[in-house]
Amino acid sequence: MSRQALNLLDDIINPMPSVFDAVKNNQSFIAGVADLTPGIIAVYNIQTGQYVYINNSLKPILGYSPKEWVEKGVKFALSKIHPDDLPRIIEENKHALEQAQNQENLIVEFEYRVMDTSNNYKWLKTYGTVFDKDRLGKVLHVINISLDITSIKETEERILQLAGSIEKKTEEIIEQKQIEKQKDEFISIASHELKTPLTTIKSFTEILKMQFGKEQKALHYLEKMDKEIDRLTGLVNELLDVSKIQSGGLTLNRERVDLIEFINEVVEDIQPTSTQHKIIFKKKSSLGKILMDKHRIYQVLINLISNAIKYSPKSNKVIISVDKTPYEAIFSVKDFGIGITKRDKKKIFDAFFQANTTIRQSYSGLGLGLHISKEIISRHGGKISVYSKKGIGSLFKFSIPTKKAYA
Ligand code: ADP
């Protein structure tokens, strides 16, 4: 390209070269731009330790006027650096100057805290470079631009704190999960280990009862023992069921069951356990048969009726009912006992939940019956619910779908 063409191109790119040059060389323009910069611009002579120039941004950031800072010098500036940052900054500066001696256009970065006029520390991020060197090639002036990064640092700090607490929470959750796992394993092992000796003791009691059947006193104690073994067996069975629920091993063996005959059987079996309560079953004409796991639904009803008796110490009746629609069979157990608060209603189907501690002391149980019952009903595709008022009584209802799709 010819020289003429080059000049023409230069004219097109810089249409007013003379104005541009004037601006470029204008001192007040440069100072104006420097003052508009949101960072502190400082030029200092490293050989004398004196500031040569500081822009007006010093004032809003550190509170000092540039004139005051220039007069006080680099030593004063160093005295304002946080004592925890000072040794590092001196070291990094020394290293940067050594590097700058041999390397052109080197830009170094430092982060540190400086105390402002209100005695608060501000975080500064400083970019520094060599401004000029003396005739011997030694660095003479250095130019620094320092940005106020206090809010960034504070945010960083908050994020770190948050990350810390998230990490702590995660650890807690992992620990909780491990404890849960250990608890599940313990329940599974303990219930399996207890089951076998209990069965052996039970059969020995039977043998002893046969042997000492004629001795009244011995029979009396053996019968007591038998009852306690049954109670213990019941608790161990509950633990075994929970363990099955946890491992997904609670399976159903469905058969066709006549509803009325079934309820009669349940009432017949449970009535002897309470002399105080009459178990009332409002009989209906035949409701026919439905497909269900007879033993598991028996277990649910026995649990609901036992609870109805257990939690109504001042009442004398429990009412059972069963009904059938084209879609489902509906069972209910109603008592006139202590009732359940609104808050507890949400939790009674949770494993190991027991509502009233004083009642709990007088009546044994593990707080597993309703949890197991709920699982049995939901395996049948049904629902269990409770309606209760504190001091009035409770009504437990559950449904079992009869349609083929569910059964
Ligand atoms: P458990 O009876 O062994 O404690 P359940 O799972 O059967 O365990 O019942 C859980 C809790 O629900 C009981 O501890 C009791 O506080 C409450 N509850 C259950 N049935 C009744 C009821 N019919 N009336 C009042 N409270 C009940």
Side-chain angles (χ1 to χ4, degrees):
M1 202 180 283
S2 70
R3 182 150 199 79
Q4 220 178 353
L6 273 175
N7 283 343
L8 193 66
L9 192 66
D10 196 34
D11 278 354
I12 293 165
I13 296 166
N14 299 307
M16 293 181 291
S18 55
V19 177
F20 183 74
D21 282 348
V23 169
K24 212 165 70 178
N25 297 326
N26 188 313
Q27 287 281 324
S28 60
F29 169 75
I30 295 168
V33 169
D35 286 340
L36 276 174
T37 308
I40 304 166
I41 300 176
V43 180
Y44 71 95
N45 183 323
I46 68 148
Q47 292 180 13
T48 63
Q50 294 298 314
Y51 282 102
V52 178
Y53 171 80
I54 295 182
N55 70 342
N56 281 332
S57 297
L58 179 71
K59 186 89 185 163
I61 295 176
L62 292 179
Y64 293 96
S65 74
K67 189 168 172 282
E68 193 184 354
W69 198 263
V70 165
E71 276 167 12
K72 289 186 165 160
V74 174
K75 249 194 177 159
F76 174 76
L78 288 176
S79 76
K80 292 288 154 193
I81 293 180
H82 195 292
D84 288 353
D85 300 336
L86 188 61
R88 175 177 53 85
I89 289 300
I90 291 175
E91 199 49 46
E92 286 177 3
N93 248 299
K94 220 171 102 191
H95 181 69
L97 277 174
E98 281 166 12
Q99 264 189 301
Q101 214 54 63
N102 313 315
Q103 198 179 326
E104 291 296 314
N105 302 325
L106 174 76
I107 297 174
V108 285
E109 295 175 22
F110 311 103
E111 281 186 12
Y112 53 102
R113 285 157 288 181
V114 181
M115 190 184 271
D116 66 9
T117 46
S118 316
N119 292 336
N120 292 322
Y121 278 110
K122 291 276 174 68
W123 271 102
L124 296 185
K125 184 172 183 107
T126 296
Y127 298 88
T129 191
V130 171
F131 188 71
D132 60 4
K133 292 182 177 172
D134 63 13
R135 266 178 290 156
L136 299 171
K138 284 189 133 196
V139 174
L140 182 60
H141 290 103
V142 165
I143 179 162
N144 282 345
I145 298 185
S146 305
L147 302 176
D148 180 359
I149 57 160
T150 311
S151 59
I152 296 173
K153 280 282 179 190
E154 280 168 1
T155 313
E156 241 174 52
E157 186 67 23
R158 248 176 282 147
I159 290 171
L160 277 177
Q161 274 174 3
L162 218 66
S165 59
I166 289 172
E167 201 176 328
K168 208 169 146 229
K169 262 263 144 347
T170 313
E171 275 168 16
E172 276 171 20
I173 291 169
I174 292 171
E175 206 175 311
Q176 186 81 26
K177 283 232 173 302
Q178 271 165 352
I179 294 170
E180 292 273 310
K181 207 174 144 222
Q182 283 170 351
K183 197 185 81 191
D184 292 354
E185 277 168 11
F186 172 77
I187 291 174
S188 166
I189 294 166
S191 51
H192 280 96
E193 290 299 317
L194 287 170
K195 184 80 183 165
T196 322
L198 263 178
T199 320
T200 317
I201 298 171
K202 174 84 184 166
S203 49
F204 283 149
T205 325
E206 293 302 326
I207 295 169
L208 286 173
K209 263 165 61 181
M210 280 196 282
Q211 285 218 339
F212 297 98
K214 286 184 191 114
E215 291 179 35
Q216 276 303 310
K217 215 166 183 184
L219 193 66
H220 171 73
Y221 289 122
L222 281 169
E223 232 125 50
K224 273 199 161 198
M225 203 168 127
D226 205 20
K227 230 175 155 186
E228 288 304 307
I229 291 168
D230 286 346
R231 207 170 65 81
L232 204 57
T233 309
L235 294 178
V236 171
N237 282 339
E238 279 193 337
L239 287 175
L240 274 169
D241 281 346
V242 167
S243 165
K244 277 184 197 155
I245 291 170
Q246 280 154 357
S247 65
L250 192 119
T251 48
L252 301 181
N253 292 312
R254 289 187 172 90
E255 58 187 295
R256 293 194 72 75
V257 180
D258 184 285
L259 284 171
I260 303 292
E261 272 176 27
F262 171 64
I263 301 288
N264 277 333
E265 204 180 305
V266 172
V267 175
E268 219 168 274
D269 289 350
I270 194 100
Q271 184 60 79
T273 64
S274 174
T275 42
Q276 182 185 325
H277 298 80
K278 173 106 187 88
I279 315 297
I280 301 165
F281 171 43
K282 289 183 178 159
K283 267 191 208 138
K284 285 199 170 74
S285 53
S286 174
L287 290 174
K289 293 182 177 181
I290 69 158
L291 205 56
M292 67 183 197
D293 185 323
K294 189 178 171 190
H295 297 289
R296 288 297 186 185
I297 298 300
Y298 179 90
Q299 183 184 348
V300 173
L301 274 169
I302 293 290
N303 178 48
L304 293 182
I305 302 168
S306 305
N307 278 350
I309 294 170
K310 186 156 82 169
Y311 299 107
S312 63
K314 289 184 185 147
S315 146
N316 60 3
K317 63 177 173 192
V318 173
I319 301 172
I320 323 285
S321 85
V322 65
D323 217 336
K324 205 172 133 210
T325 73
Y327 311 102
E328 57 189 3
I330 303 155
F331 300 77
S332 75
V333 176
K334 188 178 181 180
D335 69 60
F336 305 87
I338 59 169
I340 304 161
T341 61
K342 212 171 165 187
R343 209 188 55 195
D344 288 342
K345 258 193 269 184
K346 290 183 201 139
K347 300 185 209 149
I348 54 168
F349 294 101
D350 293 349
F352 300 106
F353 177 80
Q354 295 184 303
N356 190 315
T357 42
T358 44
I359 289 281
R360 213 198 302 174
Q361 275 155 15
S362 41
Y363 298 97
S364 61
L366 292 173
L368 291 175
L370 287 180
H371 177 67
I372 297 165
S373 299
K374 187 176 176 182
E375 187 66 22
I376 292 171
I377 302 304
S378 88
R379 293 263 157 155
H380 278 86
K383 282 200 171 81
I384 184 163
S385 51
V386 58
Y387 307 86
S388 186
K389 244 194 168 144
K390 192 89 193 138
I392 305 280
S394 310
L395 170 70
F396 282 85
K397 261 189 170 183
F398 68 89
S399 63
I400 296 180
T402 50
K403 283 197 104 180
K404 274 225 164 68
Y406 298 104

